[in-house]
């Protein structure tokens, strides 16, 4: 039998706890359970905070990357426009170079003609012809309108609108 003040029952070798000890044990287990639950709640709260901070960091990174992307797109658009402008200017300069090369070739032909005529021992053409050629060379060198063999020619100028891109 169990006694209210003893730890052992008569005739039984195993110790038996009284009702006060059962309540203490139950109270201790309840207290541990509450601590574990509180600890779990706190851990879950910290986990939620970490997740929220991670999401906030990702959202900030997305915003930053979008800004950088927009800046890069703007830069690419400006560079592309600059490239198109440079290409147009390059085409105009090539056309002007070709025109100037043709003019230079014509002048060289006139000079060769004049030099070969005078080197041949005298003037092989009439004074009117010389004045015609001399007027051509003067007009060409002065940038005026010039006349070559009766054909009026004006300087050719090129612009970006002439070329399709």
């Amino acid at each position: 039998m169990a006694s209210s003040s003893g730890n052992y029952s008569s005739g039984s070798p195993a110790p038996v706890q009284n009702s006060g000890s059962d309540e203490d044990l139950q109270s201790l287990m309840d207290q541990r359970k509450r601590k574990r639950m509180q600890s779990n709640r706190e851990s879950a709260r910290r986990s939620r905070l970490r997740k929220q901070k991670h999401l906030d960091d990702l959202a900030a990174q997305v915003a930053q990357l979008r800004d950088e992307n927009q800046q890069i797109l703007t830069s690419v658009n400006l560079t592309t426009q600059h490239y198109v402008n440079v290409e147009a200017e390059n085409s105009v300069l090539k056309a002007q170079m070709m025109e100037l090369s043709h003019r230079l070739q014509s002048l060289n032909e006139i000079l060769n003609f004049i030099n070969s005529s005078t080197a041949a021992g005298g003037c092989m053409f009439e004074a009117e012809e010389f004045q015609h050629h001399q007027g051509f060379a003067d007009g060409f060198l002065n940038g005026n309108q010039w006349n070559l063999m009766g054909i009026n020619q004006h300087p050719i100028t090129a612009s970006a609108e002439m070329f399709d891109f």
Side-chain angles (χ1 to χ4, degrees), residues 56-81:
D56 292 344
D57 290 346
L58 289 176
Q61 187 178 10
V62 165
Q64 178 188 358
L65 291 173
R66 281 187 178 150
D67 287 346
E68 287 177 18
N69 192 37
Q70 189 60 41
Q71 290 173 355
I72 290 170
L73 286 174
T74 300
S75 177
V76 165
N77 288 337
L78 289 173
T79 303
T80 301
Q81 185 61 42

Side-chain angles (χ1 to χ4, degrees), residues 5-57:
S5 61
N7 288 339
Y8 298 101
S9 62
S10 61
S12 174
V16 176
Q17 295 178 346
N18 62 18
S19 61
S21 292
D22 287 340
E23 289 174 7
D24 290 342
L25 183 59
Q26 186 64 36
S27 173
L28 182 62
M29 288 174 55
D30 288 343
Q31 185 179 9
R32 286 182 181 170
K33 185 177 180 181
R34 282 191 302 273
K35 281 184 180 180
R36 191 169 50 249
M37 287 175 61
Q38 182 62 29
S39 176
N40 287 346
R41 283 189 197 110
E42 186 61 29
S43 178
R45 186 184 71 78
R46 285 192 307 264
S47 179
R48 284 190 303 271
L49 289 174
R50 278 193 307 271
K51 282 183 182 180
Q52 187 61 47
K53 183 181 181 323
H54 185 65
L55 284 175
D56 292 344
D57 290 346

Side-chain angles (χ1 to χ4, degrees), residues 136-150:
F136 168 76
D138 289 342
F140 187 84
L141 292 174
N142 292 330
N144 297 330
Q145 178 179 350
W146 43 283
N147 184 342
L148 176 62
M149 295 191 226

Side-chain angles (χ1 to χ4, degrees), residues 53-112:
K53 183 181 181 323
H54 185 65
L55 284 175
D56 292 344
D57 290 346
L58 289 176
Q61 187 178 10
V62 165
Q64 178 188 358
L65 291 173
R66 281 187 178 150
D67 287 346
E68 287 177 18
N69 192 37
Q70 189 60 41
Q71 290 173 355
I72 290 170
L73 286 174
T74 300
S75 177
V76 165
N77 288 337
L78 289 173
T79 303
T80 301
Q81 185 61 42
H82 186 254
Y83 171 78
V84 168
N85 292 341
V86 168
E87 281 291 315
E89 183 180 356
N90 191 33
S91 295
V92 168
L93 291 173
K94 283 181 180 178
Q96 289 174 347
M97 181 190 73
M98 289 177 57
E99 174 60 25
L100 290 173
S101 294
H102 284 80
R103 286 184 182 184
L104 180 61
Q105 184 180 0
S106 296
L107 279 176
N108 283 331
E109 289 174 4
I110 290 169
L111 286 175
N112 287 337

